[in-house]
Amino acid sequence: MSRASVAVLLRTNSRRLGPTAIFIAAYLAYNLLGLLPAPWMIANAYDKSLCWNLFLLGLGGLGCGMWLGKRTFRARQGTVPFDARTSKQLSALFLVLFCGCIAFAVIVNHGIPLLQGEDRFGNSALISNLAPFYGFWILVRMISDCEHGRRPALVPPLFYMLGVLVLGYRSPVVAFVLTYTCYLAVFRLSRRRAIWCGFAVGVVLLVFAASLALLRVTQSYDASRFFANVNIGFIADHPYLMPLVPAFSMFDFSQSTIATLGSVLHEPMYGSLFLSNFETFLPGKHWGARNIVGDLTGARWIAGRPMSITPTLQGAFFVDFGYAGVFVGFFLLALAIRFCHVIATSGGPVPRFCFCFFFSMSLMAIHAGYWDVNFVFVGVFALTLKVFDQLKAFSRAGESST
């Protein structure tokens, strides 16, 4: 690559939105919507002192990590040439796997899990983690098409999102849309267009998640009693806000969860909460991190375990490592985002997909706490692609030698 091309590339990259800045903006928006007083929330329902302290500690850690990351990890010049990812064999393999997972879930549950309320919690965890492989492959294909100047196909992503929604979970759909949006914002769009794109997608995802949550609640509960932390009188006077009631409740409930954890936690768990997600791979029944948080906060029990409660990322760090863990955790996360971004900048579709998926999981962790174990399955997916590429190379070598 010539010096002129390198200069153009660096100027283009400098006009794009950095992932750490995106993360800080999302962190601010999510937490401030729950911390600041709002007319649709019940005022002074709990003490927010701990909530503010942890929020500011996390913000300080992010700022310090962002400052050090820019000075430690420098963007590489140029990109590594790569071939387009258009394998028909892999497309067929992942499509069959996806359809098999959906069919298995419908047969075992004697119906569509999406319409079965809390019974969806009895679904097979393996099925829920294998089905997104097809979504991973579609994202790789879409990123590859963009990198080669082609317009990505519209039907496969729509088919995947509708299909995976049958399982009753919104996280795979949110992760899919966020991953591709992160790719566009970080690697393709100008800073101004990235901001507008991110804002629009954020609103759409918020409405989608809130609407699905409202559907779930109305299947088993009285919505007005379930969202008891929302000022129903204000909503009644402003009915256009009704679809957003689950979101308003979520912002406030996340902070109240932190306040509750502060009152019931007598000492840190020293990493046990983080490791609990990975212990679910072991034989027998194990609670994940959010089930443990549900037990700590006195949540109701569903399918033989406490309901999954999201503690926010600063809440999860606090449960494991106290105040210092919040600052250090966000500091290391900012460094990791910067480091992975630098690696992905000079990589092809698979490294960029892996980074964007990790980044989207980090954005979702602002609400949910520690990353879900499905992040491990991305490594399995990447290994599958690597093995396929090696087998294909061996096959070509064998044909040329004969």
Side-chain angles (χ1 to χ4, degrees):
M1 180 176 288
S2 65
R3 292 183 178 180
S5 299
V6 170
V8 171
L9 177 65
L10 292 178
R11 284 199 301 270
T12 302
N13 289 337
S14 66
R15 291 196 297 267
R16 293 198 177 115
L17 205 58
T20 314
I22 296 174
F23 186 88
I24 292 177
Y27 177 77
L28 286 169
Y30 180 87
N31 284 282
L32 291 178
L33 283 171
L35 288 169
L36 296 176
W40 51 77
M41 300 309 304
I42 298 176
N44 302 318
Y46 56 92
D47 184 9
K48 295 185 178 181
S49 300
L50 178 63
C51 308
W52 275 104
N53 291 337
L54 297 189
F55 164 69
L56 294 175
L57 274 173
L59 186 60
L62 286 173
C64 292
M66 181 180 182
W67 177 85
L68 182 61
K70 284 185 176 181
R71 285 154 179 78
T72 305
F73 307 118
R74 301 288 184 177
R76 299 179 181 181
Q77 297 180 351
T79 58
V80 178
F82 56 88
D83 296 328
R85 306 296 312 211
T86 57
S87 171
K88 294 182 179 179
Q89 296 93 331
L90 287 176
S91 296
L93 171 65
F94 292 127
L95 178 60
V96 169
L97 177 64
F98 177 69
C99 293
C101 290
I102 301 300
F104 178 84
V106 172
I107 293 172
V108 169
N109 288 276
H110 305 288
I112 299 176
L114 175 65
L115 304 178
Q116 295 180 338
E118 292 179 346
D119 289 340
R120 73 184 189 278
F121 290 115
N123 289 341
S124 168
L126 182 61
I127 292 299
S128 299
N129 285 308
L130 288 179
F133 273 44
Y134 181 55
F136 297 162
W137 174 244
I138 292 175
L139 285 167
V140 170
R141 290 283 305 270
M142 294 172 69
I143 292 173
S144 176
D145 288 341
C146 286
E147 293 294 326
H148 286 83
R150 296 190 295 266
R151 178 175 295 181
L154 184 61
V155 174
L158 289 177
F159 175 76
Y160 167 74
M161 287 187 287
L162 290 174
V164 79
L165 196 59
V166 169
L167 297 177
Y169 295 99
R170 57 191 170 183
S171 295
V173 176
V174 175
F176 183 90
V177 176
L178 265 184
T179 299
Y180 189 63
T181 303
C182 290
Y183 165 73
L184 294 177
V186 174
F187 295 107
R188 304 296 298 181
L189 301 178
S190 65
R191 188 174 301 172
R192 177 177 295 181
R193 294 183 64 189
I195 291 174
W196 282 109
C197 177
F199 178 79
V201 171
V203 171
V204 171
L205 288 180
L206 183 64
V207 173
F208 162 76
S211 300
L212 187 57
L214 192 60
L215 171 65
R216 290 176 178 175
V217 170
T218 54
Q219 289 174 345
S220 307
Y221 302 97
D222 175 46
S224 61
R225 294 182 61 185
F226 189 88
F227 301 116
N229 59 341
V230 177
N231 186 346
I232 299 300
F234 181 84
I235 299 298
D237 294 336
H238 302 81
Y240 57 89
L241 295 176
M242 181 62 70
L244 294 177
V245 164
F248 295 152
S249 177
M250 173 191 69
F251 294 135
D252 180 77
F253 185 74
S254 293
Q255 302 302 326
S256 69
T257 299
I258 293 176
T260 302
L261 288 171
S263 63
V264 301
L265 194 67
H266 303 295
E267 62 177 351
M269 296 183 64
Y270 303 107
S272 296
L273 187 69
F274 175 77
L275 293 176
S276 63
N277 279 339
F278 299 94
E279 289 174 352
T280 57
F281 288 117
L282 300 175
K285 293 184 178 181
H286 301 274
W287 291 355
R290 280 177 269 179
N291 299 118
I292 294 176
V293 172
D295 186 53
L296 289 173
T297 56
R300 66 185 184 277
W301 283 55
I302 300 174
R305 58 185 177 181
M307 185 177 180
S308 174
I309 298 295
T310 52
T312 74
L313 188 52
Q314 65 266 32
F317 284 142
F318 174 74
V319 169
D320 261 342
F321 307 107
Y323 287 100
V326 176
F327 180 88
V328 174
F330 278 98
F331 174 78
L332 294 177
L333 177 59
L335 288 179
I337 291 174
R338 174 65 182 182
F339 174 75
C340 294
H341 177 225
V342 168
I343 298 298
T345 298
S346 59
V350 176
R352 294 195 176 194
F353 157 73
C354 290
F355 164 74
C356 292
F357 187 81
F358 158 71
F359 185 54
S360 67
M361 289 292 99
S362 300
L363 290 172
M364 293 171 66
I366 294 174
H367 159 69
Y370 288 134
W371 299 260
D372 288 333
V373 293
N374 61 3
F375 186 77
V376 176
F377 285 83
V378 176
V380 178
F381 169 78
L383 180 62
T384 302
L385 298 188
K386 186 67 175 179
V387 171
F388 176 83
D389 291 342
Q390 291 295 329
L391 292 176
K392 192 173 182 179
F394 288 149
S395 176
R396 289 177 177 175
E399 291 177 357
S400 61
S401 62
T402 57

